[in-house]
Amino acid sequence: GENVEQHPSTLSVQEGDSAVIKCTYSDSASNYFPWYKQELGKGPQLIIDIRSNVGEKKDQRIAVTLNKTAKHFSLHITETQPEDSAVYFCAASPMDSNYQLIWGAGTKLIIKP
Amino acid sequence: ETGVTQTPRHLVMGMTNKKSLKCEQHLGHNAMYWYKQSAKKPLELMFVYNFKEQTENNSVPSRFSPECPNSSHLFLHLHTLQPEDSALYLCASSQDTGSSGNTIYFGEGSWLTVV
């Protein structure tokens, strides 16, 4: 079946450095790719998303890139800050579903002071 | 505050108990969801309701029983659960299920421990 693989499972970076999290998806017809951030004790919250007709999207310190040919997309966080510490989830929306997302297993991002 | 409120936040129950999780959304959405979150695993979609009608049941055991009395409220009734059902249960909502790329808004979750 369709799946999304997310790497790494844990990422530790020095404050101020950049962090990159990568996901690959199996369904070539997927057309929507959101990223969610889950802070401790809270539910996941959408931070950025991208659709299949766009290759890159930026919002301040975060950006997402999409390579449809290779079927992978990445989250980039620049100038990391302590509040960026959280678990990040990628997801892909299969073409035959308007709402059901296929989720990655999550990346725990640790920002070292 | 995401606009989706879940109660209780923590629940410990025995395998023979009956309990319920409650979710309420204040966003005017028409679709509501139950997800199960276990450590180091992808989120598992359990149930989907759109305009109060159940549209998805992802092979969830019958010991989990959802109820959606209106578009703002969603319940998950729990009965004779197993220890492996211990997890974080997340409620979520979105505008509806008819448009690709609807943003899903999650509650803070209910931590369930089955003893």
Side-chain angles (χ1 to χ4, degrees), chain B:
Chain B
E1 176 59 53
T2 65
V4 180
T5 304
Q6 290 187 241
T7 55
R9 294 296 312 280
H10 299 270
L11 177 63
V12 179
M13 61 185 289
M15 288 189 283
T16 58
N17 290 161
K18 283 185 181 181
K19 297 286 185 182
S20 296
L21 306 180
K22 178 183 175 182
C23 178
E24 182 175 2
Q25 57 96 0
H26 308 275
L27 301 170
H29 289 164
N30 297 304
M32 296 190 76
Y33 312 80
W34 280 115
Y35 281 86
K36 177 182 179 182
Q37 185 175 31
S38 304
K40 299 187 178 180
K41 291 175 67 176
L43 290 171
E44 299 174 50
L45 180 63
M46 300 174 71
F47 300 105
V48 180
Y49 279 82
N50 195 38
F51 293 92
K52 302 190 299 178
E53 299 296 320
Q54 184 174 315
T55 59
E56 191 90 23
N57 175 340
N58 277 352
S59 304
V60 180
S62 59
R63 56 186 184 269
F64 294 93
S65 174
E67 178 190 359
C68 188
N70 55 61
S71 292
S72 299
H73 293 85
L74 186 64
F75 295 89
L76 188 61
H77 303 299
L78 314 169
H79 178 48
T80 59
L81 296 191
Q82 304 298 312
E84 58 265 29
D85 296 323
S86 298
L88 178 65
Y89 288 85
L90 291 163
C91 174
S93 71
S94 68
Q95 187 58 51
D96 53 48
T97 61
S99 304
S100 177
N102 266 316
T103 299
I104 296 177
Y105 294 82
F106 288 89
E108 295 188 333
S110 293
W111 281 102
L112 173 65
T113 303
V114 181
V115 297

Side-chain angles (χ1 to χ4, degrees), chain A:
Chain A
E2 296 129 355
N3 73 296
V4 172
E5 293 192 5
Q6 184 171 348
H7 299 281
S9 57
T10 305
L11 178 60
S12 183
V13 302
Q14 204 69 39
E15 182 179 350
D17 289 350
S18 296
V20 180
I21 302 170
K22 299 181 179 180
C23 289
T24 59
Y25 58 97
S26 59
D27 183 358
S28 58
S30 295
N31 59 2
Y32 174 65
F33 308 90
W35 284 90
Y36 280 76
K37 175 185 181 182
Q38 186 173 24
E39 297 177 349
L40 196 62
K42 297 188 176 182
Q45 185 172 1
L46 178 72
I47 54 171
I48 195 167
D49 57 14
I50 193 168
R51 296 183 184 273
S52 58
N53 59 346
V54 176
E56 182 175 0
K57 184 177 178 180
K58 291 184 72 173
D59 183 2
Q60 299 182 343
R61 293 187 300 108
I62 60 174
V64 57
T65 58
L66 171 65
N67 184 326
K68 287 190 295 181
T69 302
K71 290 190 289 185
H72 67 70
F73 56 112
S74 300
L75 177 71
H76 305 254
I77 306 174
T78 59
E79 301 173 16
T80 52
Q81 300 170 4
E83 54 265 35
D84 295 329
S85 294
V87 179
Y88 292 80
F89 294 93
C90 65
S93 178
M95 188 66 174
D96 62 351
S97 171
N98 287 328
Y99 61 89
Q100 178 149 191
L101 295 173
I102 309 299
W103 295 85
T107 296
K108 183 176 182 179
L109 177 61
I110 301 166
I111 308 301
K112 296 181 291 186

